[in-house]
Amino acid sequence: MSNAKRLSLTAYLSLALRNLLRNPRRTGITLATMIFGIATLTLLSALNDGWLEQMRDNFILSFTGHIQIHASGFESSQNLNDHIKAPGEVILLLQDSPEIQGWTQRIRTSGLVSLGGSSAGVQIMATDPEQETWVTHMHRGLKQGRWLNPGTSHDLLLGITVAQNIGAEIGDRIVLMAQRPNGEMVSEIFFLRGILETGAPQIDRTLALIPLNAAQAWFEMGESVTDIVIRASSHENTASLQLQFNRKLSGGGYEILAWQDLDPMVRQWLEFSDAYGLIIILVVVALVLTEILNTMLIALHERQKELGIMIAIGTRKSQIFFMLLIEAVMLILLGGALGYGVGGLLVLHLSDGGIDLSYFANAFKFFYMDPVILPLLTLDSATRILGTTLVAALLAGLYPAWRATKIEISQSLRTF
Amino acid sequence: MIKPVIYAVALRNLLGHLRRTMLTVGAIAVGLSALIFLWSFNDGLHRNMLQNFQDAIIGSIQIHHEGFFERPELSRHLRNPDKIITTVEQAGVKRWSRRLEAFALAASDETTEGVMLIGMEADREPVITDLGKRISIGRFLREDDEYACILGATTARNLKLGLGDPVVMIGYDRFGALVAEEFTLVGIITSGEMGLDRGMALTNIKSLQEMLDMPDGVTDIVLRTPEDRIQQLTDELIFALSDENVEVMPWSTMFPVMHEWIILHDGFLYLFLAVVLFIVLAGELNTMLLSMLERTREFGIFMAIGTERYEIGLMLVFEALFIGLAGTLLGIVFGTGIVLVTHSTGIDLSILLGSTSRFYVDSLVYPHLNLDHLGTTVGAILIASIIAGLYPAWKASRLQPVEAMRNV
């Protein structure tokens, strides 16, 4: 075959472009399908990401922080003997790091609260009242009463379920019982100053919060603490901070745990939500692809006569295939870009106020879920979903182009 | 006067361009079956969750003395457990069990931890919950056990206890006096679910009754019943036990958060489905518009030979209706087919999850078709497809014959 008959790429491009522009209505409708499909997909993916991100945020900010530093073995033993003896050494490393938004020190141990005849097992947590507000949003969960006063005051806050279970009210004298590091059982009177509702049942059911200094005096622990809790300035910094501390504190008898390690249950739950969202999105991707393929097939159906004429005047089938394929590629790339733009604008618009689902459920959060969803556009999922869709759409574009090469001239010229 | 011939022409148009018709019908069918699948996936997941949630420990309905759930004090024990059980059996419930609950401090040589000490009937408990299956080390309670106890894995680890080790339970009896008793650890529960692995201890109801000096003392009667009977049964029992000073609580009242959570999760899916519905609607509108575009010339000829505008519009509405119905039917068949297949095989989430039972979800999810949700979805799609047909019909009826015929 001579080269003269082979068309150059520019020829294909201009041919395809002219075809697209010649019938603006048809092009417009096909393009609209793609824009609509990609835009909705972008929106759905942003909704899903926003929802997951909110849960992660809520989890980290409700109690755990991004990173906790303990004396090694504390997380599994939960024993006061495994405490950090010189927290000052660690705290020195925390000062002035731009990756750290806040930190606090805590003592955690299990104990018993009792009031009158009722008692309940609790997780006693002692924290620095001021530093804590830099790390978590626990203070925002105050249902009644006030936040802890710093110092060695005998202030006590209880999780709402604990308070209900023992029938405690603000101002009540409550006896806390726990074990000192040396094993001695001690009890102490505290005054209930506030009731916390975090929305996380295991916290609401077990939390007894007291000031750090009071606990250190009560347990005769001096300056020691069990946890140093760090809030990173963003989630992405968690891993690098963990690495950094692991290096700096290696050999010092510490364990450095990220939030994922601290509550495997939540990690599983986030992974589950991720899988759930992924399945839904995959179904929607399949749906969008079907719609796009469908529109391209119908558009092709309409052009049978035109293609028949082209074949009749000697255009080769491979040339028709390439022409149609390039048309599809142009349409899909344009549709993808516009669709993503439209979807992105929609997300930006919606993320101002969020989408309020409290119509379906009461306005309170449970398991770190908010009833108001703020869609979030992340580069990662955008490339993943957009990439998949575009590649799949291009593959889908092959089919109509291939179908066109199967056209019988006589058949196609007969249609009117 | 509408000529019947319009319908014949519409039908011939549909059947004459079989491929075009099939493409449009197919688009609706795919959309609908995707929606049906998503609903069923979601419903199946929630059903599984609720099942596991109730099986874990709380059962479907619990009966306590008035106010016990708010403040579980021993003075609020059930006064007439036998009479309640007779009533429960009369209501046709076979799966019930008695429990006695009290707070206690579990102490080992090393340390202590606060726990909810639950006395159970070893023979009846497996009828209402799955606790027995969650024992990872050791065994479940036996009827003839004396002061045997089962702990959650986290609690056992914190207390540094192994099988056969003694554990002292310190608690208050119903008059507020301190009581302590030594138990032997016979089993450890690993569930991965909140509340079970930590802060809970199980023992025989007889042993706990003895320790607390409450012979035949019962604080809870726990029932298990299918999800769709819970509400009705609750109402029945409340009525039948109205002079007993008891509270009859379905799980959704005891743990409203779980209930609300499912509603919220559904709400999230509604949002998704609304968007998906839009995609289907837009897809259909597009195909209808394209096929109309293709037939512009045909409509011009129709008009030229004297067909009224409204007749052309009517013809297209009829076509849209037909396509909508056919698409919906096909979608129902196809969607239910997918659900039936996946319902029998299950969808393995563990590929995506990399773990087994979490948050009350099994790694195999069996989609379940809820007829209410099916009805809503089918109705919405049918209406959407008719609406999608109206616009092209209106467009077509406004064509100028001469212009239209010039169209290639």
Side-chain angles (χ1 to χ4, degrees), chain A residues 82-198:
Chain A
D82 300 318
H83 56 249
I84 303 175
K85 288 178 185 65
E89 169 188 308
V90 180
I91 286 163
L92 266 182
L93 298 174
L94 306 178
Q95 314 282 11
D96 305 324
S97 168
E99 288 171 326
I100 293 173
Q101 192 168 341
W103 54 269
T104 184
Q105 308 176 75
R106 294 181 187 158
I107 291 176
R108 268 191 295 152
T109 185
S110 55
L112 201 68
V113 290
S114 34
L115 171 70
S118 338
S119 50
V122 288
Q123 179 75 220
I124 297 175
M125 191 174 103
T127 186
D128 184 317
E130 276 165 25
Q131 294 278 39
E132 185 66 40
T133 56
W134 286 96
V135 180
T136 64
H137 286 167
M138 229 185 298
H139 57 288
R140 296 192 191 167
L142 264 182
K143 200 74 183 152
Q144 282 177 53
R146 61 161 172 82
W147 186 237
L148 298 173
N149 276 345
T152 52
S153 66
H154 281 198
D155 286 358
L156 167 74
L157 304 184
L158 286 179
I160 186 158
T161 319
V162 188
Q164 273 168 7
N165 283 350
I166 62 167
E169 278 165 27
I170 303 290
D172 281 352
R173 281 159 57 102
I174 289 173
V175 178
L176 278 187
M177 187 158 83
Q179 227 169 3
R180 283 187 179 149
N182 62 12
E184 184 190 349
M185 290 292 289
V186 282
S187 13
E188 182 71 62
I189 291 170
F190 284 83
F191 296 92
L192 186 66
R193 298 298 179 206
I195 291 173
L196 288 172
E197 182 170 22
T198 60

Side-chain angles (χ1 to χ4, degrees), chain A residues 126-129 150-153 210-218 222-223:
Chain A
T127 186
D128 184 317
T152 52
S153 66
I210 55 177
L212 182 67
N213 292 344
Q216 282 170 336
W218 179 28
E223 290 292 297

Side-chain angles (χ1 to χ4, degrees), chain B residues 9 42 60 86 108 129 150 199 239 242 271 326 359 363 386 397 402:
Chain B
V9 173
N42 193 57
S60 311
T86 319
S108 65
T129 61
I150 293 175
F239 180 73
S242 52
L271 199 66
F359 201 70
S363 57
I386 291 168
S397 67
V402 182

Side-chain angles (χ1 to χ4, degrees), chain A residues 25 33 110 118-119 123 164 179 265 268-269 272 276 280 287 291 294 298 301 360 362 369 373 403, chain B residues 19 23 31 42 70-71 73 103 111-112 192 198 260-261 263 270 272 283 286-287 293-294 353 355:
Chain A
R25 232 186 331 172
T33 312
S110 55
S118 338
S119 50
Q123 179 75 220
Q164 273 168 7
Q179 227 169 3
M265 164 94 194
Q268 304 282 7
W269 160 238
F272 157 73
Y276 176 84
I280 293 192
L287 192 61
E291 299 291 356
N294 201 296
I298 291 198
H301 189 256
F360 296 108
N362 287 337
M369 273 190 347
I373 299 178
R403 273 295 290 271
Chain B
R19 194 194 301 165
L23 280 175
N42 193 57
E70 270 294 292
R71 285 180 67 177
E73 288 167 359
F103 281 114
T111 176
T112 59
R198 172 154 212 180
E260 299 273 349
W261 182 87
I263 295 174
Y270 279 128
F272 259 67
N286 277 348
T287 39
L293 213 61
E294 186 186 351
L353 229 58
S355 67

Side-chain angles (χ1 to χ4, degrees), chain A residues 10-140:
Chain A
T10 34
Y12 275 121
L13 279 177
S14 65
L15 198 59
L17 197 62
R18 216 180 309 162
N19 276 336
L20 291 178
L21 293 177
R22 197 166 40 98
N23 199 332
R25 232 186 331 172
R26 185 176 59 215
T27 310
I29 292 177
T30 319
L31 204 55
T33 312
M34 294 175 184
I35 295 177
F36 191 83
I38 305 275
T40 43
L41 210 50
T42 310
L43 177 65
L44 288 186
S45 142
L47 275 176
N48 192 46
D49 284 343
W51 156 273
L52 284 174
E53 181 75 5
Q54 268 166 288
M55 282 196 280
R56 193 173 305 135
D57 263 353
N58 288 340
F59 170 65
I60 288 163
L61 296 181
S62 68
F63 190 77
T64 318
H66 283 101
I67 290 178
Q68 292 191 4
I69 301 177
H70 312 143
S72 42
F74 176 73
E75 190 54 32
S76 65
S77 75
Q78 301 280 313
N79 189 321
L80 276 189
N81 273 318
D82 300 318
H83 56 249
I84 303 175
K85 288 178 185 65
E89 169 188 308
V90 180
I91 286 163
L92 266 182
L93 298 174
L94 306 178
Q95 314 282 11
D96 305 324
S97 168
E99 288 171 326
I100 293 173
Q101 192 168 341
W103 54 269
T104 184
Q105 308 176 75
R106 294 181 187 158
I107 291 176
R108 268 191 295 152
T109 185
S110 55
L112 201 68
V113 290
S114 34
L115 171 70
S118 338
S119 50
V122 288
Q123 179 75 220
I124 297 175
M125 191 174 103
T127 186
D128 184 317
E130 276 165 25
Q131 294 278 39
E132 185 66 40
T133 56
W134 286 96
V135 180
T136 64
H137 286 167
M138 229 185 298
H139 57 288
R140 296 192 191 167

Side-chain angles (χ1 to χ4, degrees), chain B residues 27-210:
Chain B
I28 298 173
V30 170
L32 181 58
S33 43
L35 284 174
I36 291 179
F37 171 74
L38 286 181
W39 263 125
S40 314
F41 177 67
N42 193 57
D43 287 342
L45 198 75
H46 286 170
R47 235 167 75 109
N48 178 242
M49 238 176 215
L50 287 185
Q51 204 76 19
N52 288 342
F53 184 62
Q54 293 171 28
D55 280 347
I57 188 155
I58 69 165
S60 311
I61 299 176
Q62 290 190 3
I63 303 172
H64 325 115
H65 185 76
E66 189 68 49
F68 176 79
F69 187 74
E70 270 294 292
R71 285 180 67 177
E73 288 167 359
L74 284 177
S75 58
R76 297 179 175 162
H77 64 97
L78 286 170
R79 299 298 189 268
N80 267 328
D82 294 339
K83 192 184 161 206
I84 295 169
I85 285 167
T86 319
T87 316
V88 164
E89 293 232 306
Q90 274 165 4
V93 182
K94 296 251 159 16
R95 300 164 69 190
W96 54 263
S97 184
R98 283 173 282 229
R99 287 183 191 163
L100 177 60
E101 296 186 14
F103 281 114
L105 202 62
S108 65
D109 294 344
E110 301 275 339
T111 176
T112 59
E113 186 166 308
V115 292
M116 188 75 181
L117 185 55
I118 307 175
M120 294 179 161
E121 292 181 276
D123 55 331
R124 295 211 60 97
E125 189 63 31
V127 184
I128 53 163
T129 61
D130 264 354
L131 277 170
K133 291 183 195 154
R134 289 163 201 266
I135 302 283
S136 57
I137 308 170
R139 57 168 178 86
F140 193 63
L141 300 167
R142 287 194 200 123
E143 257 180 286
D144 52 357
D145 278 338
E146 274 183 19
Y147 292 100
C149 109
I150 293 175
L151 291 176
T154 315
T155 306
R157 199 184 56 217
N158 291 350
L159 294 173
K160 296 211 172 82
L161 286 175
L163 283 191
D165 286 350
V167 45
V168 176
M169 295 288 173
I170 307 159
Y172 296 95
D173 70 10
R174 71 181 143 135
F175 306 108
L178 206 63
V179 284
E181 208 58 72
E182 188 177 286
F183 288 72
T184 313
L185 187 64
V186 298
I188 292 175
I189 288 186
T190 310
S191 72
E193 277 144 22
M194 46 186 173
L196 284 191
D197 288 356
R198 172 154 212 180
M200 192 193 63
L202 310 179
T203 185
N204 272 50
I205 192 166
K206 280 269 171 294
S207 309
L208 190 61
Q209 282 167 347
E210 218 172 280

